[in-house]
Amino acid sequence: MTMDETDRTLEQLLAGLMAVRDGNLDTRLPEDAGGLPGNIAAVFNGMVAQLSLVTTEVTRVAQEVGGEGRLGGQARVPPVGGVWRELTDAVNSMADNLTSQVRNISQVATAVARGDLTQKIRVDARGEILELKETINTMVERLSSFAEEVTRVAREVGTEGNLGGQATVHGVSGTWMDLTNNVNSMADNLTNQVRNIAQVTTAVAEGDLTRKIDVDARGEILELKTTINTMVDQLGSFAAEVTRVAREVGSEGRLGGQAEVADVSGTWRRLTENVNELAANLTGQVRAIAEVTSAVARGDLTRTVAVEAPGEVGALKDNINSMVESLRATTRANEEQDWLKTHLARISGGIQGRRDLTTVARLIMREVPPLVHAQYGCFFLAQDGAQGAVGSERSEPAEGEGPAPELVAIASYGLPDDPASGPRRFRVGQSLVGQAAADHRVVVVDELPPGYAPVLTGTGSADPSALIVLPIVFEGQVLGALELASLHPFAPLHRDFLEQFTELLGVNVSSLTANARTDELLERSQLLTAELSARSGELQARQRELQRSNAELQDKAALLADRNRDIERKNHQIEQARQELEERAQELARASLYKSEFLANMSHELRTPLNSLLILAQLLAQNSEGNLTEKQADYAAVIHSAGSDLLQLINDILDLSKVEAGRMDVHPEPVSLQRVLDYVDVTFRPVADERGLEFTVSGAPSAGEGLVTDEARLRQVLRNLVSNALKFTRTGGVSLRVQPASPQEVPDSLRGAGPVLAFRVIDTGIGIPPEQLESVFDAFQQGDSGADRAYGGTGLGLSISREVSRLLGGTITAESTMGRGSCFTLFLPEHDRGTQARSGPDTAGEEQDGPAPAVTFAAPVDDEGLRDRTVLLVDDDTRNVYALTEVLKSAGMQVLTADNGEAGIRLLAAHPEVDLVVMDLMMAGLDGYATTRAIRAMPRMAELPVVVVTAKAMPGDRTEALAAGASDYVVKPVAPDRLLTALRTWLAPR
C-alpha cells in the first residue's frame, strides 16, 4: 500500500472518529477496500454498530483524543465481555499506542520545527506507522544533512566571506535535490555578482574609476549593479572636478575655483557643495591673509585678518593678527623712541654753543611747546632775591637766613601778561611752580577750572584743560622750572619727552650758569685789577704831592690821617680782592692739574692695551704664515684701522688739553713751503683717489720763501683742514692753494704783521649754514647736529687747528655755501711774531714730544744687527708683553720677560748675557723710574741700553725718564719698525 492510500485511510478513519466524537454514529467506512483499511472499516462499522452501548465512554475518549487532542485517555465502561471487552481494551490499547506514537512523532516534529534535527522517532511501531516512523526519521536525517550543507555554504558565503562554496547532499532527489541545486545556483550567482561588485569597489578604493559591474543580475542585485555603476560614473566626474579644483587651488595657486558635477544629488550633491564651500572658504581665508601680509610687507600695519576661520586656520588668523598687533606696537614704540631721541638731540644740539641763558630759554620756549602741543609755556630761572610773586602774599624768610631763592620767568610762550608789569616771580615753595621746585617732583593738573589760564588769539580765547610743571634740577640743586599748559591732556610720549628733556636741561643750565658765574668773576677780577691799578697810581701821586707840600700842610695832618685810614681800608679791600683772585687762580690751577693728571692716566690706560691691539692686528693683517683667509686678514686690518682712529682721538684730546692749559710749545724755524706742500700731497692723494675726488696742491711762485714758523704745527693744521674737506666731500674735488694774502683780506688781528700767507683749503662738499660757521670751531661741534652721525668724527680738529694757528701768530677764517662747498683759510705771517712768548708756562727746556701719530706699521725684518741678541722685557701688562715678544722674536732676538721691577732686576743679575732692556714706566710696586735707577746702580750696568716704551705721553715725561737713566724714550702704541730701529741704534756697537 502506498503512502497516499495510507493517508486516505487514515483520513477516513479520522473523519469517522470525528463523527463518532460528534455523536454521529451513522457514519460508516467503505468496506470494499482490502487489507488493513478494509479490516479497519469492518471493525469500525461493527464497532459503531455496537458502540451505542458504550457511546458515552467511547464518545468521551474519542472527544478527548480526536477532538480535544488529549492523548492518553481510557474508556471506562461497565463490565462487558467478549468483543466489547476486547473492543474496549483494543480502543484503550489503540489510544495508548496512538498516544505514544503521536506524541513521539509530535516531539520529533516539534524538534524539527524548533530546528533541532537530532531527535528521531524511537517508539515501537509496526506497519505503516513503522514506515511513517522510518520516513520521518529519514527525512530528519536528510534535512539535517541538507541543513548542515546549507548552513556550511551560508556560513562560508555569508559569515566567513568564502565565496564559491557548494552544498553537497547525497542520496536526495525531488524537492530536496531541487532545493540543493537552487541553493548552489544561488551561491554561484551570489559569488559571481559579489566578486564582480568586489572587483569594482576594490578598483574604486584603489582610485581606479574606469571599472564597472558587467555580471548578469536581476532584481535588487540589478538595481545594486546599476546604482554602483552610476555611483562610479558620478564619483569619476566628482573626482575629476575635485582634482581640478585642488590642482588650481593647491598647485597652481589659482583661488576661486568651483567643482561642477552635473546630475548628482543627495550625498554627492552635498559632497560637491562641501568641496565648493571648502574651496570658497579657503579662497576667502587665504586672500584675506594674503591681503594683510601684503599690507604688512608694504609697511601698512592697520590691517587685520577679519575673515571667519575655525580650527588651525583660525589659529593662523589669530597668530597673524597677533603678529601684526605686535609689529604695530613695536613700530609705535620704535617711532616714539626715534621721536624722543631725534627731538632731544635736535634741541640739545641747538642749545650747544650758546652761552646766554636768556637766549637758551627763548629757544626752548620757541621749540618745546609746539612740539608737545602746548599752547602756553613759561621758563623760570632760579635767582637769588627777596621779592615774592606779583600780587601774592610775601612769605618772610626765617630769622638768620638770607633771602629765599626766587624762580623768575625769563622766557614764555603764549603768555597773556603785559610786558610792562614785569616778569612773574615765585619763591621756592610758593605756588605750584615753587612747590614743584621745592619737592623736585613733576606736578600735573588735569581738568583745569574755566578761566584758570586762558589761551588768547586774535579771534578769541580758550581755556586749557591740562597743566604740567617740571623742575629743572642738577645734582640736587634747583636751577629753574618749566611750566606748560595745553587745551588737551598731555600724551604719555610728550610727558616722557618733557621729563627726559628737563634732565638734559638741568645739565645745560648748570653748565651755562657756571660759565656765566665764571665770566662774572673774571669781569669782577678785571674791574678790581683796574681799580687797584688806578688807586695805586692815585695813591702814589698823592704821596708825592704830600711829600712836596708836607711843610705847608701841617695844619691838615688830622685830615690826612683820616684820608690815610680811608686809603688803608680801601687797600685792605683791594688786598682781600687780590687774595680772592689768588684763591680763584689756585682753584683753576688745581683743576688744570687734576685735568692733566686725568688725561695722563687716561692716555696710559688707553695706550697700553692699544699698543698690543695695534701690534697684534698688524701682525695678523700681514699674515706672514699664510694661515688666515683673506677675509680674516681684512678683519685684522679693520681692527688696526679702528685702533689707529682711537689713537688719533687720544692725540686730539691731549692736544686740546695742552692748548687749554697753555702748555703747547711752538718752535719757530725756517720752513720750506714746498716740503710742506709735498707732505700734504703725498699724505692725502691716496685718500682722494680712493674716494674718486680731484685733489690739487699748488703754491704761488716765490710764496713763502722767508717763512719762519713751527713746521710740525703747520702740518698739523693743514692736515686737519684737508682731512675735514675730504671727509665732507662726496663728489667734485678738494684743493690746497698757497699765495700771499692781499692787504684787503688780511684780518684786523694780523695787520701790521708784515707779509701774510693765505693757505686756502677749498672743497665742493655739503657746506655749512652761515649761522653755524663760528660754532664749527668749538670743541666737539660739526656744524649741523646731524653731521656727526652722518660723517663721524669728534669735532676736535677745527678747534685745535684754530688754537694752534693763534699760537703760530695767525688765524683761520671760514666761508661756505650750503650744497656748494666751503673754503677754510689759514692766514699766517711769513715771519714769526714773538712765538717764544706764546709758549705755555712751566715748559722751558721740555722736549717737544707729543703723542705718537697713528702710522702704518711695517713688517719686522730679521737682520744681522738684532739676530741672536738677548733683550729683557719688563712690563706688567701681559698683552703688551705678548705683542712686543712676538715683534722681537720675529726679528730673531732672544727675549726674557719680567712682570715687575724687582723680578726684572733679579733676572738681569742672573743673565749677564742681556744686551738691552725694554722698560715700561707705570708698574705696580717698583715703577720704571726706580727700576732704571736700580739697574744703573748695578755693577757693569751703567752702559747697558735701557729703552723706555711707555704710554706716559704728557709734557715732562720724556725728560723725567731720561733723567732716571733711560737711554731712549718711545711712546706707545709703538710701530714695530720704530721700536726695532731704536734697538738697532743702541745695539750697533757691540
Side-chain angles (χ1 to χ4, degrees):
M1 183 177 62
T2 64
M3 183 177 179
D4 292 337
E5 294 174 350
T6 303
D7 291 338
R8 285 193 300 270
T9 302
L10 290 175
E11 288 175 358
Q12 292 176 357
L13 177 59
L14 180 60
L17 293 175
M18 291 177 63
V20 172
R21 184 197 64 185
D22 295 336
N24 186 5
L25 298 180
D26 295 333
T27 301
R28 297 291 185 269
L29 294 178
E31 297 181 0
D32 54 354
L36 181 60
N39 295 331
I40 292 174
V43 172
F44 180 78
N45 290 336
M47 179 190 65
V48 171
Q50 295 188 18
L51 194 58
S52 57
L53 296 178
V54 288
T55 299
T56 303
E57 284 300 311
V58 172
T59 299
R60 181 181 63 80
V61 172
Q63 184 178 1
E64 290 178 356
V65 176
E68 299 175 1
R70 291 189 294 154
L71 301 177
Q74 293 287 300
R76 296 182 181 88
V77 297
V80 294
V83 174
W84 300 114
R85 180 69 181 179
E86 293 175 359
L87 180 58
T88 301
D89 294 337
V91 169
N92 288 336
S93 175
M94 179 189 69
D96 289 338
N97 291 335
L98 187 60
T99 294
S100 60
Q101 293 169 354
V102 171
R103 282 181 174 173
N104 196 206
I105 292 172
S106 176
Q107 290 173 354
V108 173
T110 301
V112 171
R114 291 198 303 265
D116 182 9
L117 300 180
T118 60
Q119 299 286 335
K120 288 188 178 181
I121 301 174
R122 305 192 182 280
V123 68
D124 292 334
R126 297 178 181 176
E128 293 184 4
I129 296 299
L130 177 59
E131 293 178 1
L132 177 60
K133 165 188 172 182
E134 293 175 352
T135 299
I136 291 177
N137 286 339
T138 301
M139 178 193 69
V140 171
E141 290 176 354
R142 291 181 177 177
L143 187 58
S144 176
S145 176
F146 174 76
E148 289 177 357
E149 284 296 301
V150 171
T151 300
R152 178 181 62 79
V153 172
R155 183 178 64 253
E156 291 178 352
V157 174
T159 303
E160 299 175 358
N162 296 326
L163 300 179
Q166 293 286 290
T168 304
V169 184
H170 298 285
V172 295
S173 60
T175 301
W176 299 114
M177 179 60 74
D178 295 339
L179 186 57
T180 301
N181 293 335
N182 290 337
V183 169
N184 288 334
S185 176
M186 178 192 68
D188 286 337
N189 292 336
L190 187 60
T191 295
N192 294 333
Q193 294 166 355
V194 171
R195 283 179 175 173
N196 193 216
I197 293 173
Q199 291 173 354
V200 174
T201 54
T202 300
V204 171
E206 293 174 350
D208 182 7
L209 300 179
T210 61
R211 301 287 298 277
K212 290 189 178 181
I213 301 173
D214 52 9
V215 68
D216 292 333
R218 297 178 182 178
E220 294 184 5
I221 297 297
L222 177 60
E223 294 178 0
L224 177 61
K225 167 186 173 182
T226 304
T227 301
I228 290 178
N229 287 339
T230 303
M231 178 194 71
V232 171
D233 292 337
Q234 293 177 345
L235 189 58
S237 175
F238 173 77
E241 284 298 300
V242 171
T243 301
R244 177 182 63 80
V245 173
R247 182 178 64 254
E248 290 178 355
V249 175
S251 300
E252 300 174 1
R254 292 187 294 152
L255 301 177
Q258 293 285 285
E260 298 177 359
V261 184
D263 301 328
V264 295
S265 60
T267 300
W268 300 114
R269 182 68 178 177
R270 290 193 298 274
L271 188 56
T272 303
E273 292 174 351
N274 290 339
V275 169
N276 289 336
E277 183 180 2
L278 168 67
N281 290 339
L282 185 61
T283 297
Q285 294 164 358
V286 172
R287 284 178 176 172
I289 292 174
E291 290 176 359
V292 173
T293 54
S294 298
V296 172
R298 293 193 305 269
D300 181 8
L301 300 178
T302 61
R303 303 284 299 276
T304 57
V305 182
V307 68
E308 293 293 334
E312 295 185 7
V313 177
L316 175 61
K317 162 195 166 184
D318 296 338
N319 290 337
I320 290 178
N321 288 339
S322 299
M323 177 194 71
V324 172
E325 181 61 28
S326 177
L327 285 175
R328 187 183 301 122
T330 302
T331 302
R332 187 182 305 112
N334 290 338
E335 290 175 350
E336 290 178 354
Q337 288 301 315
D338 290 342
W339 186 90
L340 276 175
K341 294 177 181 178
T342 300
H343 290 292
L344 285 173
R346 180 177 63 83
I347 299 178
S348 297
I351 295 175
Q352 295 296 328
R354 303 181 186 272
R355 303 180 65 86
D356 183 34
L357 272 172
T358 303
T359 302
V360 171
R362 290 173 180 171
L363 173 64
I364 292 172
M365 285 294 99
R366 191 166 57 248
E367 296 286 342
V368 173
L371 189 62
V372 298
H373 301 163
Q375 288 74 39
Y376 161 82
C378 195
F379 187 102
F380 294 90
L381 181 67
Q383 297 180 356
D384 294 335
Q387 295 183 3
V390 176
S392 63
E393 183 180 355
R394 176 177 172 181
S395 59
E396 297 295 338
E399 184 178 357
E401 297 181 357
E406 289 182 333
L407 297 170
V408 182
I410 63 173
S412 63
Y413 179 88
L415 189 67
D417 291 356
D418 183 2
S421 63
R424 295 188 177 188
R425 295 174 177 270
F426 298 98
R427 287 188 297 275
V428 174
Q430 180 185 15
S431 79
L432 288 182
V433 175
Q435 192 62 44
D439 296 341
H440 296 184
R441 187 170 58 191
V442 177
V443 175
V444 179
V445 180
D446 293 324
E447 300 180 0
L448 292 174
Y452 177 79
V455 176
L456 304 180
T457 66
T459 58
S461 63
D463 294 326
S465 64
L467 175 74
I468 184 170
V469 182
L470 303 103
I472 303 173
V473 181
F474 179 73
E475 294 182 350
Q477 180 182 3
V478 177
L479 304 178
L482 193 64
E483 180 182 11
L484 298 168
S486 174
L487 296 176
H488 306 284
F490 290 97
L493 175 62
H494 293 160
R495 292 181 59 175
D496 292 342
F497 169 79
L498 291 173
E499 291 177 1
Q500 295 184 29
F501 176 69
T502 51
E503 292 180 4
L504 295 175
L505 188 59
V507 177
N508 291 324
V509 172
S510 175
S511 176
L512 291 173
T513 303
N515 291 336
R517 289 177 179 173
T518 302
D519 293 341
E520 182 183 356
L521 288 176
L522 180 60
E523 184 178 358
R524 288 177 57 190
S525 173
Q526 292 173 348
L527 291 175
L528 288 175
T529 301
E531 183 180 356
L532 176 62
S533 177
R535 292 188 178 184
S536 177
E538 180 183 356
L539 179 60
Q540 292 175 0
R542 289 182 179 180
Q543 286 178 346
R544 287 192 298 269
E545 182 180 355
L546 289 174
Q547 290 175 358
R548 288 193 304 267
S549 58
N550 184 44
E552 302 174 359
L553 300 176
Q554 290 295 332
D555 55 343
K556 298 181 180 180
L559 179 61
L560 180 59
D562 293 337
R563 291 183 177 180
N564 285 336
R565 284 193 294 271
D566 183 50
I567 291 174
E568 288 178 358
R569 285 195 302 272
K570 292 182 178 180
N571 286 339
H572 179 67
Q573 294 175 356
I574 293 173
E575 179 65 21
Q576 289 179 341
R578 186 186 63 79
Q579 292 177 357
E580 183 179 354
L581 288 175
E582 289 180 354
E583 291 176 358
R584 296 288 184 182
Q586 291 174 359
E587 291 178 359
L588 291 175
R590 283 196 299 271
S592 177
L593 177 62
Y594 295 156
K595 183 176 180 180
S596 298
E597 290 297 330
F598 168 75
L599 290 176
N601 292 332
M602 181 198 71
S603 172
H604 177 269
E605 295 302 324
L606 291 177
R607 289 172 181 271
T608 298
L610 193 59
N611 182 59
S612 58
L613 184 147
L614 289 175
I615 293 176
L616 296 177
Q618 179 65 20
L619 294 177
L620 289 174
Q622 292 167 357
N623 196 16
S624 58
E625 298 181 0
N627 58 352
L628 298 179
T629 64
E630 183 178 353
K631 181 171 288 188
Q632 291 171 336
D634 291 341
Y635 291 162
V638 171
I639 295 174
H640 179 267
S641 176
S644 299
D645 292 342
L646 178 59
L647 177 60
Q648 185 61 45
L649 173 60
I650 297 172
N651 294 340
D652 288 345
I653 294 175
L654 292 178
D655 283 344
L656 182 62
S657 173
K658 289 181 180 180
V659 170
E660 290 180 348
R663 299 176 63 87
M664 177 173 283
D665 290 341
V666 177
H667 300 276
E669 59 183 355
V671 175
S672 170
L673 180 61
Q674 187 60 44
R675 184 170 66 244
V676 174
L677 298 182
D678 291 341
Y679 162 76
V680 174
D681 186 75
V682 170
T683 301
F684 292 103
R685 184 165 299 281
V687 179
D689 293 342
E690 180 182 356
R691 299 184 179 182
L693 302 175
E694 296 182 3
F695 183 64
T696 58
V697 178
S698 61
S702 71
E705 291 182 351
L707 179 61
V708 177
T709 187
D710 189 322
E711 181 174 352
R713 299 305 178 188
L714 176 59
R715 289 187 178 187
Q716 180 181 5
V717 174
L718 295 179
R719 185 168 60 245
N720 283 338
L721 295 179
V722 176
S723 175
N724 268 4
L726 289 172
K727 179 169 66 173
F728 292 99
T729 302
R730 296 179 182 267
T731 59
V734 175
S735 64
L736 170 61
R737 302 174 187 173
V738 183
Q739 60 189 24
S742 64
Q744 294 78 10
E745 63 180 345
V746 174
D748 295 339
S749 60
L750 299 183
R751 296 187 184 277
V756 176
L757 286 179
F759 295 79
R760 289 186 173 86
V761 178
I762 305 171
D763 64 68
T764 59
I766 61 175
I768 304 171
E771 66 274 10
Q772 296 178 351
L773 279 175
E774 283 302 318
S775 64
V776 297
F777 289 101
D778 294 338
F780 305 104
Q781 294 295 319
Q782 290 188 346
D784 184 4
S785 61
D788 55 347
R789 295 190 298 272
Y791 296 92
T794 61
L796 293 175
L798 290 178
S799 176
I800 295 173
S801 297
R802 169 167 280 189
E803 296 299 330
V804 172
S805 69
R806 290 174 179 171
L807 290 177
L808 295 178
T811 186
I812 296 177
T813 63
E815 300 174 356
S816 181
T817 303
M818 288 298 296
R820 298 182 59 183
S822 306
C823 175
F824 287 82
T825 304
L826 167 64
F827 292 99
L828 187 65
E830 289 194 20
H831 304 289
D832 180 74
R833 298 192 302 161
T835 306
Q836 189 65 33
R838 292 190 299 274
S839 298
D842 302 329
T843 60
E846 290 187 2
E847 293 77 9
Q848 184 185 1
D849 188 76
V855 297
T856 302
F857 294 167
V861 178
D862 185 9
D863 56 26
E864 295 297 333
L866 300 178
R867 185 183 298 115
D868 298 331
R869 307 298 291 272
T870 302
V871 59
L872 172 60
L873 177 58
V874 183
D875 197 326
D876 62 348
D877 191 299
T878 57
R879 298 165 296 185
N880 279 321
V881 171
Y882 177 76
L884 293 176
T885 300
E886 292 297 318
V887 172
L888 296 176
K889 287 185 177 179
S890 66
M893 303 187 71
Q894 304 294 324
V895 182
L896 301 175
T897 62
D899 60 359
N900 57 72
E902 293 88 346
I905 293 174
R906 290 194 301 269
L907 199 60
L908 183 62
H911 293 272
E913 72 274 12
V914 172
D915 299 306
L916 184 142
V917 177
V918 176
M919 179 72 66
D920 184 28
L921 290 181
M922 298 184 70
M923 295 184 294
L926 199 65
D927 62 8
Y929 298 112
T931 304
T932 303
R933 295 188 186 96
I935 291 176
R936 292 305 183 207
M938 295 173 63
R940 298 185 302 279
M941 296 299 173
E943 301 300 327
L944 179 68
V946 177
V947 178
V948 170
V949 179
T950 181
K952 288 177 66 63
M954 297 302 290
D957 291 337
R958 176 185 177 88
T959 301
E960 185 177 0
L962 296 179
S967 305
D968 204 347
Y969 181 89
V970 181
V971 179
K972 295 178 183 177
V974 58
D977 56 344
R978 182 182 178 189
L979 175 62
L980 296 179
T981 299
L983 300 187
R984 194 179 297 112
T985 300
W986 290 99
L987 291 177
R990 187 143 188 159

